[in-house]
Amino acid sequence: MKLTSLSLSIALLAAETASASFMEQTACTNKQQRKSWHTLTAEERLDYLHAEQCLMSLPAKYGLEGPVTRYDEFVRLHSLAAPDFHFTGAFLPYHRLIVHNHYEALRTECNYSGPQPYWNETLDAGNFKNSVVLDSATGFGGEGAAIGDCIQDGPFKDYISPIGSYRIDTAHCISRKIDECQSSKAAQVYINNCMAKQTFGDFWLCIEELPHDGLHQGMGGILRYFGSPGDPLFYLHHAYIDKVWWTWQSADPEHRLYEISGQNQLYAFPKFLSETDMCGVAPESILPPLEPYGLGAPGDPGMETTLGHVLHWAGVLTNVTVGEIMDIEGGMLCYEYD
Ligand SMILES: *[C@@H]1O[C@H](CO)[C@@H](O)[C@H](O)[C@H]1NC(C)=O
Ligand SMILES: *[C@@H]1O[C@H](CO)[C@@H](O)[C@H](O)[C@H]1NC(C)=O
Ligand SMILES: *[C@@H]1O[C@H](CO)[C@@H](O)[C@H](O)[C@H]1NC(C)=O
Ligand SMILES: [Cu+2]
C-alpha cells in the first residue's frame, strides 16, 4: 500500500518535471486565431486564398530537389518524412507542426494577417460536393473532371506542381474525385466515438482511422497520398484534426496535455488497415509502402514515441521535439480555436 503510493508520487513528480522542462518562459498572451471556414466572411476567405496563391508564386528557398515554389516545399517536406508520422505516435504532433509552419510562412512571407481557418467537416460529411469550402468564387473550387481529375474552377485550378504523390515526381494539376461514402466517415458520430477514448494511444488511432481518413479518401485525388499537402485543403483539414485533438487534451489537461505514446516507426500497420473499410475499399489500395527501419527513432529511448521524439524536416527546418508542441498555448506555439 505504502509502496504503491510512493511509486505513484514519484511517477507524478517525474511527469511534472518532464512537462515543466518543455514549458518555455515566454508567456502566450497574444494568441493567434483559428476559425471555422464556415463562419468567415467572404473577405476573410479571399484573404486566406490570396495568401495561399502568394505562397504558390514565391520561389523555393531550401534547395531541395523538386520544389519550384514555397508552396511545393511543404509538400516535399511532408512526403519526405511521411512514413515517420503516419500510423505512428507522432501523427498528431507532426501535423500540428506542419500546419503551424505553413501558417507562419503565410504570415511572414505573404503578409497574411487573418486567422488560420479549419474545415469543420462534420457539417459536410456525406455531402462534400455542396460544401461552401468548395465554392468556386470564395472557396477552394470543386472536384476534378476529365483527364487526371484536375480541378476545374476556383483559385487553384491552374496550379501545376512538380511534386508527385510520394517520391516519384511528375508535373500534375491539383486533382480531386469526391466519394460521398468516404466523406461520411467525417460524421460527428465518429468524432464522438474518439472523444470518449481515455488514452492517447486509443484516441490517436481512432482519429487517424475514421474522421481523419474521411477527408483524404472522400476528397480523393492528390489528398489520398503522401503528397497530400499538394491540395491546399490539407491545411484546413489538419487544422480541424488539431482542434479535435486539442479539445480532447483540454478535457483532462492534467493527464492529457503531455500524454504521448505509440510506435515510433512504421513497424506495423494498425489492425483497422487490414480490413476492407465501411465503403468496401480493400486495404491494399490505400496503404503506403512499409519501409525497413532501424531500431527506435531520434529522441526516443526505445520503440515508443515520447516527449523527446524529434520532429525533423529533412534537415532544412529547426528540429522540434514532440514535448515542445503538446501545448498550443505555451512554449513555441500560441494560438487558440474559436
Ligand atoms: C509584404 O509587405 C512588405 C512590407 O510592406 C513588402 O515589402 C513585401 O513585398 C510584401 N510581401 C508580399 C509577398 O506581398
Ligand atoms: C462542428 O460543428 C458542430 C455543429 O455546430 C459542432 O457541434 C462541433 O463542435 C464542431 N466541431 C468542431 C471541431 O469545431
Ligand atoms: C535533427 O534531427 C535529425 C534526426 O534526429 C538529426 O539527424 C539532425 O542532425 C538534427 N539536426 C539538428 C540541427 O539538430
Ligand atoms: Cu500527413
Side-chain angles (χ1 to χ4, degrees):
M1 185 72 183
K2 200 152 187 217
L3 243 184
T4 313
S5 68
L6 180 66
S7 22
L8 185 67
S9 10
I10 290 173
L12 281 176
L13 190 67
E16 264 168 36
T17 315
S19 339
S21 71
F22 288 112
M23 285 182 213
E24 268 181 30
Q25 280 66 40
T26 42
C28 168
T29 44
N30 191 13
K31 294 187 181 110
Q32 294 172 346
Q33 299 301 304
R34 297 228 173 152
K35 291 186 181 165
S36 168
W37 185 267
H38 284 77
T39 68
L40 297 184
T41 64
E43 198 186 338
E44 287 175 314
R45 290 174 183 172
L46 290 173
D47 277 352
Y48 183 79
L49 297 169
H50 291 155
E52 197 73 278
Q53 283 179 306
C54 159
L55 212 56
M56 290 175 171
S57 74
L58 296 180
K61 64 179 188 187
Y62 296 145
L64 295 168
E65 208 184 313
V68 172
T69 69
R70 285 289 290 129
Y71 180 83
D72 296 338
E73 286 183 314
F74 287 97
V75 187
R76 173 53 88 228
L77 291 178
H78 179 273
S79 60
L80 277 176
D84 292 343
F85 63 100
H86 293 87
F87 315 110
T88 67
F91 170 76
L92 290 168
Y94 241 113
H95 287 96
R96 172 170 284 175
L97 187 57
I98 196 171
V99 172
H100 171 74
N101 286 339
H102 168 263
Y103 180 68
E104 287 304 294
L106 295 181
R107 269 188 351 101
T108 61
E109 297 169 50
C110 289
N111 297 335
Y112 179 62
S113 58
Q116 169 63 49
Y118 64 87
W119 179 359
N120 183 339
E121 294 159 13
T122 66
L123 301 173
D124 299 311
N127 193 14
F128 276 5
K129 279 194 172 131
N130 293 311
S131 174
V132 295
V133 176
L134 303 190
D135 191 272
S136 62
T138 58
F140 291 74
E143 73 172 325
I147 300 165
D149 295 322
C150 294
I151 58 173
Q152 303 289 308
D153 60 1
F156 309 115
K157 76 176 166 61
D158 297 321
Y159 191 69
I160 299 295
S161 170
I163 310 299
S165 59
Y166 184 34
R167 298 244 161 112
I168 316 259
D169 288 341
T170 42
H172 60 88
C173 63
I174 296 177
S175 56
R176 294 182 195 139
K177 190 179 171 65
I178 293 176
D179 175 336
E180 301 288 16
C181 174
Q182 293 289 343
S183 84
S184 70
K185 291 177 175 176
Q188 186 69 43
V189 59
Y190 302 117
I191 295 282
N192 296 347
N193 178 40
C194 298
M195 293 305 267
K197 303 292 183 192
Q198 290 301 311
T199 65
F200 176 85
D202 288 344
F203 173 77
W204 141 60
L205 274 174
C206 182
I207 287 291
E208 186 166 3
E209 177 187 5
L210 267 182
H212 163 257
D213 205 40
L215 184 284
H216 289 281
Q217 307 304 327
M219 198 53 66
I222 188 76
L223 275 162
R224 294 181 66 226
Y225 303 98
F226 280 160
S228 54
D231 187 329
L233 285 171
F234 173 91
Y235 297 100
L236 266 65
H237 170 53
H238 273 288
Y240 166 66
I241 294 296
D242 187 62
K243 183 185 179 193
V244 173
W245 179 26
W246 179 247
T247 305
W248 183 83
Q249 285 182 287
S250 306
D252 184 3
E254 197 190 327
H255 297 107
R256 298 178 182 173
L257 189 53
Y258 286 96
E259 189 188 359
I260 192 80
S261 65
Q263 62 177 357
N264 58 19
Q265 292 286 344
L266 191 48
Y267 295 112
F269 289 119
K271 195 167 132 278
F272 65 79
L273 284 178
S274 64
E275 295 150 8
T276 295
D277 78 355
M278 62 186 244
C279 299
V281 175
E284 310 84 78
S285 65
I286 57 168
L287 288 184
L290 257 187
E291 301 198 348
Y293 277 97
L295 294 183
D300 293 323
M303 314 291 276
E304 278 273 300
T305 308
T306 67
L307 294 176
H309 184 95
V310 178
L311 308 171
H312 57 89
W313 300 111
V316 298
L317 300 185
T318 310
N319 285 348
V320 168
T321 63
V322 166
E324 286 174 284
I325 55 157
M326 292 299 285
D327 186 356
I328 69 169
E329 300 179 335
M332 62 170 285
L333 302 177
C334 186
Y335 61 82
E336 66 185 356
Y337 287 97
D338 56 10

PDB file of all heavy atoms in Angstrom, residues 36 118 120-123 188 191 240 243-244 247 338, ligand 2:
ATOM      1  N   SER A  36     -13.355  28.580 -37.867  1.00  0.00           N
ATOM      2  CA  SER A  36     -14.069  27.720 -38.805  1.00  0.00           C
ATOM      3  C   SER A  36     -14.290  28.453 -40.126  1.00  0.00           C
ATOM      4  O   SER A  36     -14.773  29.588 -40.136  1.00  0.00           O
ATOM      5  CB  SER A  36     -15.420  27.327 -38.196  1.00  0.00           C
ATOM      6  OG  SER A  36     -16.234  26.726 -39.187  1.00  0.00           O
ATOM      7  N   TYR A 118     -10.068  26.403 -40.278  1.00  0.00           N
ATOM      8  CA  TYR A 118     -10.183  24.942 -40.301  1.00  0.00           C
ATOM      9  C   TYR A 118     -11.533  24.593 -40.915  1.00  0.00           C
ATOM     10  O   TYR A 118     -12.452  25.420 -40.932  1.00  0.00           O
ATOM     11  CB  TYR A 118     -10.036  24.342 -38.896  1.00  0.00           C
ATOM     12  CG  TYR A 118     -11.122  24.735 -37.920  1.00  0.00           C
ATOM     13  CD1 TYR A 118     -12.310  24.017 -37.830  1.00  0.00           C
ATOM     14  CD2 TYR A 118     -10.959  25.838 -37.080  1.00  0.00           C
ATOM     15  CE1 TYR A 118     -13.308  24.398 -36.943  1.00  0.00           C
ATOM     16  CE2 TYR A 118     -11.951  26.224 -36.193  1.00  0.00           C
ATOM     17  CZ  TYR A 118     -13.119  25.503 -36.132  1.00  0.00           C
ATOM     18  OH  TYR A 118     -14.124  25.876 -35.274  1.00  0.00           O
ATOM     19  N   ASN A 120     -14.672  22.477 -40.462  1.00  0.00           N
ATOM     20  CA  ASN A 120     -15.466  21.596 -39.618  1.00  0.00           C
ATOM     21  C   ASN A 120     -16.189  20.612 -40.545  1.00  0.00           C
ATOM     22  O   ASN A 120     -17.255  20.894 -41.071  1.00  0.00           O
ATOM     23  CB  ASN A 120     -16.461  22.399 -38.769  1.00  0.00           C
ATOM     24  CG  ASN A 120     -17.258  21.505 -37.835  1.00  0.00           C
ATOM     25  OD1 ASN A 120     -17.374  20.295 -38.073  1.00  0.00           O
ATOM     26  ND2 ASN A 120     -17.795  22.080 -36.772  1.00  0.00           N
ATOM     27  N   GLU A 121     -15.556  19.469 -40.717  1.00  0.00           N
ATOM     28  CA  GLU A 121     -16.005  18.523 -41.741  1.00  0.00           C
ATOM     29  C   GLU A 121     -17.306  17.812 -41.375  1.00  0.00           C
ATOM     30  O   GLU A 121     -17.984  17.268 -42.247  1.00  0.00           O
ATOM     31  CB  GLU A 121     -14.883  17.507 -42.010  1.00  0.00           C
ATOM     32  CG  GLU A 121     -13.669  18.184 -42.640  1.00  0.00           C
ATOM     33  CD  GLU A 121     -12.378  17.398 -42.465  1.00  0.00           C
ATOM     34  OE1 GLU A 121     -12.430  16.209 -42.068  1.00  0.00           O
ATOM     35  OE2 GLU A 121     -11.307  17.983 -42.726  1.00  0.00           O
ATOM     36  N   THR A 122     -17.655  17.832 -40.087  1.00  0.00           N
ATOM     37  CA  THR A 122     -18.908  17.171 -39.705  1.00  0.00           C
ATOM     38  C   THR A 122     -20.089  17.867 -40.397  1.00  0.00           C
ATOM     39  O   THR A 122     -21.092  17.234 -40.688  1.00  0.00           O
ATOM     40  CB  THR A 122     -19.142  17.197 -38.175  1.00  0.00           C
ATOM     41  OG1 THR A 122     -19.339  18.549 -37.749  1.00  0.00           O
ATOM     42  CG2 THR A 122     -17.965  16.607 -37.429  1.00  0.00           C
ATOM     43  N   LEU A 123     -19.950  19.170 -40.662  1.00  0.00           N
ATOM     44  CA  LEU A 123     -21.031  19.934 -41.290  1.00  0.00           C
ATOM     45  C   LEU A 123     -21.292  19.499 -42.729  1.00  0.00           C
ATOM     46  O   LEU A 123     -22.370  19.740 -43.264  1.00  0.00           O
ATOM     47  CB  LEU A 123     -20.707  21.443 -41.258  1.00  0.00           C
ATOM     48  CG  LEU A 123     -20.484  22.048 -39.870  1.00  0.00           C
ATOM     49  CD1 LEU A 123     -19.997  23.485 -39.981  1.00  0.00           C
ATOM     50  CD2 LEU A 123     -21.779  21.982 -39.047  1.00  0.00           C
ATOM     51  N   GLN A 188     -20.039  13.398 -37.238  1.00  0.00           N
ATOM     52  CA  GLN A 188     -19.880  13.690 -35.806  1.00  0.00           C
ATOM     53  C   GLN A 188     -19.871  12.415 -34.950  1.00  0.00           C
ATOM     54  O   GLN A 188     -19.166  12.349 -33.948  1.00  0.00           O
ATOM     55  CB  GLN A 188     -21.010  14.623 -35.346  1.00  0.00           C
ATOM     56  CG  GLN A 188     -20.879  15.127 -33.920  1.00  0.00           C
ATOM     57  CD  GLN A 188     -19.722  16.101 -33.717  1.00  0.00           C
ATOM     58  OE1 GLN A 188     -19.492  17.001 -34.534  1.00  0.00           O
ATOM     59  NE2 GLN A 188     -18.968  15.920 -32.642  1.00  0.00           N
ATOM     60  N   ILE A 191     -16.438  11.279 -34.507  1.00  0.00           N
ATOM     61  CA  ILE A 191     -15.702  12.186 -33.621  1.00  0.00           C
ATOM     62  C   ILE A 191     -16.051  11.853 -32.169  1.00  0.00           C
ATOM     63  O   ILE A 191     -15.178  11.689 -31.316  1.00  0.00           O
ATOM     64  CB  ILE A 191     -16.082  13.667 -33.909  1.00  0.00           C
ATOM     65  CG1 ILE A 191     -15.631  14.075 -35.316  1.00  0.00           C
ATOM     66  CG2 ILE A 191     -15.518  14.590 -32.839  1.00  0.00           C
ATOM     67  CD1 ILE A 191     -14.180  14.390 -35.457  1.00  0.00           C
ATOM     68  N   TYR A 240      -8.313  21.317 -38.490  1.00  0.00           N
ATOM     69  CA  TYR A 240      -9.524  20.754 -37.882  1.00  0.00           C
ATOM     70  C   TYR A 240      -9.186  19.544 -36.991  1.00  0.00           C
ATOM     71  O   TYR A 240      -9.623  19.466 -35.828  1.00  0.00           O
ATOM     72  CB  TYR A 240     -10.485  20.343 -38.997  1.00  0.00           C
ATOM     73  CG  TYR A 240     -11.623  19.462 -38.560  1.00  0.00           C
ATOM     74  CD1 TYR A 240     -12.612  19.930 -37.694  1.00  0.00           C
ATOM     75  CD2 TYR A 240     -11.724  18.150 -39.023  1.00  0.00           C
ATOM     76  CE1 TYR A 240     -13.660  19.117 -37.309  1.00  0.00           C
ATOM     77  CE2 TYR A 240     -12.770  17.334 -38.644  1.00  0.00           C
ATOM     78  CZ  TYR A 240     -13.736  17.815 -37.784  1.00  0.00           C
ATOM     79  OH  TYR A 240     -14.767  17.000 -37.397  1.00  0.00           O
ATOM     80  N   LYS A 243      -7.742  20.730 -33.913  1.00  0.00           N
ATOM     81  CA  LYS A 243      -8.721  21.261 -32.960  1.00  0.00           C
ATOM     82  C   LYS A 243      -9.367  20.116 -32.174  1.00  0.00           C
ATOM     83  O   LYS A 243      -9.586  20.221 -30.966  1.00  0.00           O
ATOM     84  CB  LYS A 243      -9.803  22.080 -33.672  1.00  0.00           C
ATOM     85  CG  LYS A 243     -10.770  22.688 -32.668  1.00  0.00           C
ATOM     86  CD  LYS A 243     -11.947  23.424 -33.276  1.00  0.00           C
ATOM     87  CE  LYS A 243     -12.833  23.951 -32.140  1.00  0.00           C
ATOM     88  NZ  LYS A 243     -14.142  24.421 -32.581  1.00  0.00           N
ATOM     89  N   VAL A 244      -9.675  19.038 -32.882  1.00  0.00           N
ATOM     90  CA  VAL A 244     -10.285  17.893 -32.215  1.00  0.00           C
ATOM     91  C   VAL A 244      -9.332  17.332 -31.156  1.00  0.00           C
ATOM     92  O   VAL A 244      -9.738  17.034 -30.026  1.00  0.00           O
ATOM     93  CB  VAL A 244     -10.673  16.795 -33.244  1.00  0.00           C
ATOM     94  CG1 VAL A 244     -11.157  15.537 -32.543  1.00  0.00           C
ATOM     95  CG2 VAL A 244     -11.733  17.325 -34.204  1.00  0.00           C
ATOM     96  N   THR A 247      -9.194  19.725 -28.200  1.00  0.00           N
ATOM     97  CA  THR A 247     -10.413  19.614 -27.388  1.00  0.00           C
ATOM     98  C   THR A 247     -10.316  18.401 -26.475  1.00  0.00           C
ATOM     99  O   THR A 247     -10.677  18.472 -25.294  1.00  0.00           O
ATOM    100  CB  THR A 247     -11.659  19.507 -28.302  1.00  0.00           C
ATOM    101  OG1 THR A 247     -11.664  20.620 -29.198  1.00  0.00           O
ATOM    102  CG2 THR A 247     -12.940  19.496 -27.504  1.00  0.00           C
ATOM    103  N   ASP A 338     -11.677  29.047 -32.052  1.00  0.00           N
ATOM    104  CA  ASP A 338     -12.904  29.765 -31.716  1.00  0.00           C
ATOM    105  C   ASP A 338     -13.878  28.858 -30.988  1.00  0.00           C
ATOM    106  O   ASP A 338     -13.696  27.657 -30.906  1.00  0.00           O
ATOM    107  CB  ASP A 338     -13.556  30.322 -33.000  1.00  0.00           C
ATOM    108  CG  ASP A 338     -13.829  29.209 -34.029  1.00  0.00           C
ATOM    109  OD1 ASP A 338     -13.711  28.006 -33.710  1.00  0.00           O
ATOM    110  OD2 ASP A 338     -14.164  29.565 -35.167  1.00  0.00           O
TER     111      ASP A 338
HETATM  112  C1  LIG B   2     -18.573  21.330 -35.800  1.00  0.00           C
HETATM  113  O1  LIG B   2     -19.885  21.867 -35.815  1.00  0.00           O
HETATM  114  C2  LIG B   2     -20.776  21.217 -34.917  1.00  0.00           C
HETATM  115  C3  LIG B   2     -22.160  21.818 -35.160  1.00  0.00           C
HETATM  116  O2  LIG B   2     -22.134  23.204 -34.985  1.00  0.00           O
HETATM  117  C4  LIG B   2     -20.295  21.436 -33.504  1.00  0.00           C
HETATM  118  O3  LIG B   2     -21.145  20.768 -32.588  1.00  0.00           O
HETATM  119  C5  LIG B   2     -18.874  20.847 -33.389  1.00  0.00           C
HETATM  120  O4  LIG B   2     -18.362  21.120 -32.093  1.00  0.00           O
HETATM  121  C6  LIG B   2     -17.961  21.476 -34.419  1.00  0.00           C
HETATM  122  N1  LIG B   2     -16.676  20.797 -34.359  1.00  0.00           N
HETATM  123  C7  LIG B   2     -15.520  21.440 -34.213  1.00  0.00           C
HETATM  124  C8  LIG B   2     -14.298  20.599 -34.106  1.00  0.00           C
HETATM  125  O5  LIG B   2     -15.432  22.647 -34.186  1.00  0.00           O
END
